[in-house]
Every structure is written in C-alpha cells, then in structure tokens.
Amino acid sequence: MFDIYLPIAGMQFNALILVAIGFSVGVLGGFFGVGGAWVVTPALNAFGFPMAYAIGTDLAHIFGKSIVATAKHRKMGNVDMKLGLISIVGSVIGVEIGARNVMYLTKLGIAGPVVRYIYMFMLFGLGIYMLYDYMTKDKRAAAQAAKVAAAARAGLAPPAKKSWNLPPMIHFPASGITISLWTVSGVFLFTGYLSGLLGVGGGFIRMPALIYLIGCPTAIAVGTDLFSVLFSGAYGCFTYGIKARVEIIAAILMLVGAAIGAQVGVTAVKYIRGYGIRLLFAIMVILAGISVSLKQFQLNTASQWMVMCAALGMCAVIMIKLYQGFKKEQAEKAGYAVKEVKP
Amino acid sequence: MKKFSAIILNLVLLALPALLWASEGLEVPEELGKKVDLANLGSINYFFAHWYNDNLWVYATIVTVLMGLLGFTIALVTDVILKMIGMETHKMEHHE
C-alpha cells in the first residue's frame, strides 16, 4: 500500500517501514546520544535493502537526525561545545589509525573475525561494567560520604579525587570539569581508533567514555556525543555520496521518522535521571553484544531480529518513561496551581 | 553574531580535512558505478537520479546539504509544535 520506487537503489520499498525504522532509532539516538548505525544497517538489510546502500543511507539520515537532536539538547544545556570540538580533532586522527589497522588486518585475511571479537568484547565489557556501576552506586556514595565525614571529624580537608594533572589543563564550564588536555586528547584518540577499527560511528563508545574517563554528567555526555556524531554523520553522508551508496529518498523518509523520534528521545532525558539513562544504555549495549555474537556463529537472521527487537523494546520503555514523567510533571504543576489559588 | 560567525568558520575549517579525506577513495567500484534509468521517473526522482548519473560530487553535495537543511528545518518546526502541546524544554539541572 505504501510502496514507493527508490530510483538509486532501483527497488520498490515500503515507505512506512522506513519512517518506522527512522522513528525508533531517533528515539534511541536522542536518548542515548548515539547515531544508531548498529540498529539501522541490519534493520534495512533485513527488510531487503542492499547492504552497501543500507550503510550509506543510514549515515545520511544520521547526519540530519543528529542536527535535530543536538539543537534540542543544546536548548536544554546538555551540549559542551568546547569539549565537542576538541573531540572531533582527536576522533578524526583516531579513526584514520583504526581504518589503516583494518586494512592491514584485511591483508592478513583476518579482519572479519578480529573486528567481531573486539566488538563483542567491547559491548559485553562496557555493558557489564555499566551494570556493575549502577548496582554499586549507593554503596560507593555511602563510602565516599563516610570518608568525608571522617576527614571532617579529624579536622582535615576531604580527600581529593585522584586525577592526572599534566598541564596544560583545560576548564569546561558547561560540564563543570577541569582536565588535562592530554587526557581529553588521549580519550578521543582511543574512541576514534575503536570507531575506525569497528567501522561504527563511535557514539556508543564515546558516550560512556565522556562519563567514566572524562567525568561529564550523563545528560551532557549524551548531548556532547550527539554534537560529535553530527560531524561524523556529515562526513559519512558525503563520503558515501561520492561512492554512489546513498539512496536519498529513503534517507529523507527515515529522517522524517527519526526527527520525530529524536524529539521524543531528547525530551525523555528530562524525566529520567543520569543513572537511569546509564542502566538502559547498559542493557541495550549487552543486547547489541548478543546480536553480534549470533552473527559470529552464522545466525544472521536471528542476529538481525535480535537487534531490531531490542531497539523496539527499548524504544517502548523510553516512551513509557517519558509519558509517566510528563503526567507527573503536569500533576505537580496542577497541584501548585491549586495551592496558589487557596488562601 | 560575531560569535556565531566564528563558530561557523571553525566548523567549516574542521570539516575541510574530513571532506578532503572523504575524496581520497573516490574510485567508484565497478558494481556500484551503475547508471539509473531516467525513463518514467517523477520530477523529484528524476532530479536526484540525473545528478547521480551525471556527477557524483554534485550528488554527494546535494545529499549532504539537503539532509542538513531538512534536519535544521524539522528541528525548528517540531520545537514549535512541542511548545504548543506543552512539552517545551528549558535548561535542565544536571543530577545523577
């Protein structure tokens, strides 16, 4: 019923599926600060899109979507522009090193399995660490409070956090952190390297790196990461364009869905606390890891459906949380209004 | 305005190496260097397919600029709609 002709890919495709895929990945992207290539590419491919066009079209829509999401995050004060701009320089160099490494592995004929095993290690490692971090947060907060109290009783200053203060130090007012330029550059070089090596946008690596290695608040990590994704998306859109791999009509339809989804995802950040975002992200990353493992064991269809179901499930959770938060906010506003009317 | 111009200039300068790098692998693989049949195409499809056949650099530029402009326009429009239904967003407190 909604079939349209896509001239570049030379095929008929259901427009509604494109808008729906765009919408779900828009929600995830706006909420987690990731591009979502690891969801869209297998989803498009599963619905019959040729792989080469799936990658290029995906990157084109990511560029448009990240503009929508970054604009909204910026309005909410969640984008550290200074940190984002520095991230681009480190990431570009890192991506180049990673890509050259892949070329070397390809020459040896072991690129596929090596990349997939690193991918699995990264996804499971990251997911499990973030789950552990979430489950032990109260214990750590209590231990820190006890340390501060003990120091106060002894009349000493609270123990300083351990950090590497090699000059030059840079202050990031939006994130409220002061950190060595070398640490920031090193982190972005590393995350860029991994994204070049794994062939992904890098959002799912950079977002936790901003939290755990640089010390950003979660919402700022999400917004700043999206700001960086904007540049990698623009680069990806252009480079795949000149390589004749972007189906523009499909990208536009996906962007329409993704733009609406991104608004939903970003607004949900307002209602879910930082650790809540980390918990959902950890679950999503582990599910993506399971999907990659299935692929490694040649279960391609199961792998594609796994990642799509995980994305749709997570999408539903985010929208329910957003609805609950919105209703609560409305009820609180109504409560205040009644109080103000009563003498 | 001055600050905004400086940001735009910085973004362009930062994008330049990426664009040059993008052009490096310009050789189009044979199986992808196909031409689209322009017969029976509607005006929009014809426009894109024509540039796709004619010059991939122009096609890539059209795609990139169009996606950027569309993203920007949708961001503005949806912002207005969300404001109308009471879901506007303001600067938020950052708590973990």
Side-chain angles (χ1 to χ4, degrees):
Chain A
M1 188 179 168
F2 293 98
D3 276 6
I4 53 161
Y5 181 65
L6 303 174
I8 310 299
M11 62 188 292
Q12 295 281 338
F13 206 88
N14 192 310
L16 215 57
I17 291 179
L18 289 171
V19 176
I21 292 174
F23 176 80
S24 52
V25 85
V27 174
L28 297 180
F31 186 74
F32 292 130
V34 295
W38 41 294
V39 177
V40 178
T41 307
L44 281 177
N45 192 235
F47 283 110
F49 225 82
M51 188 50 104
Y53 289 102
I55 299 169
T57 307
D58 177 22
L59 282 167
H61 111 279
I62 282 176
F63 171 44
K65 179 190 72 183
S66 53
I67 291 179
V68 179
T70 305
K72 198 162 170 72
H73 268 296
R74 189 159 185 263
K75 213 176 155 196
M76 290 162 76
N78 293 345
V79 180
D80 192 329
M81 301 280 267
K82 196 172 166 185
L83 190 56
L85 288 172
I86 290 177
S87 84
I88 298 162
V89 181
S91 299
V92 166
I93 301 168
V95 166
E96 178 64 30
I97 300 169
R100 280 168 196 250
N101 222 324
V102 170
M103 298 313 287
Y104 177 69
L105 290 171
T106 309
K107 251 187 211 169
L108 296 178
I110 52 168
V114 168
V115 166
R116 266 201 291 277
Y117 277 118
I118 294 175
Y119 215 151
M120 281 193 278
F121 175 75
M122 282 299 305
L123 290 169
F124 284 126
L126 201 59
I128 291 166
Y129 175 74
M130 288 180 89
L131 274 183
Y132 171 79
D133 176 58
Y134 177 80
M135 287 189 291
T136 56
K137 68 180 165 56
D138 294 334
K139 209 172 157 186
R140 277 183 290 114
Q144 180 65 20
K147 261 189 202 169
V148 173
R153 273 197 302 275
L156 300 167
K161 266 189 173 179
K162 281 175 197 163
S163 58
W164 194 43
N165 293 332
L166 186 68
M169 301 293 284
I170 312 178
H171 181 58
F172 297 98
S175 301
I177 49 171
T178 302
I179 192 166
S180 167
L181 171 69
W182 301 106
T183 308
V184 181
S185 307
V187 167
F188 290 129
L189 192 74
F190 175 65
T191 53
Y193 170 75
L194 281 176
S195 81
L197 186 73
L198 302 176
V200 291
F204 83 93
I205 303 166
R206 209 165 33 230
M207 194 276 249
L210 281 165
I211 297 172
Y212 295 111
L213 302 177
I214 294 188
C216 282
T218 308
I220 291 188
V222 170
T224 306
D225 187 34
L226 268 167
F227 179 64
S228 308
V229 167
L230 195 154
F231 291 92
S232 54
Y235 166 69
C237 179
F238 189 77
T239 188
Y240 273 89
I242 55 178
K243 290 175 180 73
R245 291 178 188 180
V246 177
E247 172 45 73
I248 178 75
I249 303 292
I252 291 172
L253 285 168
M254 280 169 60
L255 175 59
V256 171
I260 302 165
Q263 293 283 350
V264 173
V266 179
T267 310
V269 170
K270 198 173 121 183
Y271 300 110
I272 302 171
R273 283 180 174 252
Y275 265 102
I277 300 173
R278 293 189 204 183
L279 172 67
L280 294 177
F281 187 82
I283 296 168
M284 190 70 219
V285 162
I286 289 174
L287 291 173
I290 295 171
S291 164
V292 176
S293 311
L294 289 170
K295 196 168 186 174
Q296 177 61 25
F297 297 115
Q298 313 291 328
L299 300 164
N300 287 351
T301 313
S303 156
Q304 285 167 345
W305 282 104
M306 173 83 204
V307 80
M308 273 194 295
C309 292
L312 288 174
M314 192 55 75
C315 217
V317 171
I318 293 168
M319 288 203 293
I320 291 167
K321 290 277 181 193
L322 167 67
Y323 179 73
Q324 287 172 340
F326 178 62
K327 291 302 272 181
K328 197 177 158 193
E329 190 184 65
Q330 293 294 309
E332 278 169 5
K333 272 185 191 166
Y336 284 129
V338 171
K339 270 183 197 167
E340 274 174 20
V341 170
K342 278 184 184 172
Chain B
M1 191 62 201
K2 203 175 167 186
K3 201 177 168 189
F4 181 71
S5 315
I7 290 173
I8 295 293
L9 179 69
N10 271 300
L11 295 185
V12 171
L13 289 174
L14 281 165
L16 274 179
L19 294 178
L20 289 174
W21 183 25
S23 69
E24 203 179 5
L26 189 59
E27 267 180 48
V28 180
E30 261 177 45
E31 69 273 21
L32 291 168
K34 61 159 193 174
K35 299 285 175 199
V36 176
D37 183 10
L38 298 179
N40 304 322
L41 287 183
S43 53
I44 296 174
N45 279 351
Y46 182 88
F47 173 76
F48 292 128
H50 163 72
W51 283 113
Y52 180 87
N53 284 348
D54 217 41
N55 189 333
L56 281 171
W57 274 86
V58 177
Y59 177 73
T61 308
I62 291 172
V63 168
T64 311
V65 171
L66 185 67
M67 294 315 279
L69 281 177
L70 258 178
F72 186 71
T73 312
I74 294 172
L76 284 179
V77 174
T78 44
D79 206 36
V80 172
I81 296 170
L82 284 173
K83 212 175 258 177
M84 279 163 61
I85 60 169
M87 287 189 90
E88 75 265 41
T89 43
H90 306 287
K91 249 189 164 46
M92 59 180 267
E93 291 288 318
H94 293 111
H95 41 60
E96 295 298 313

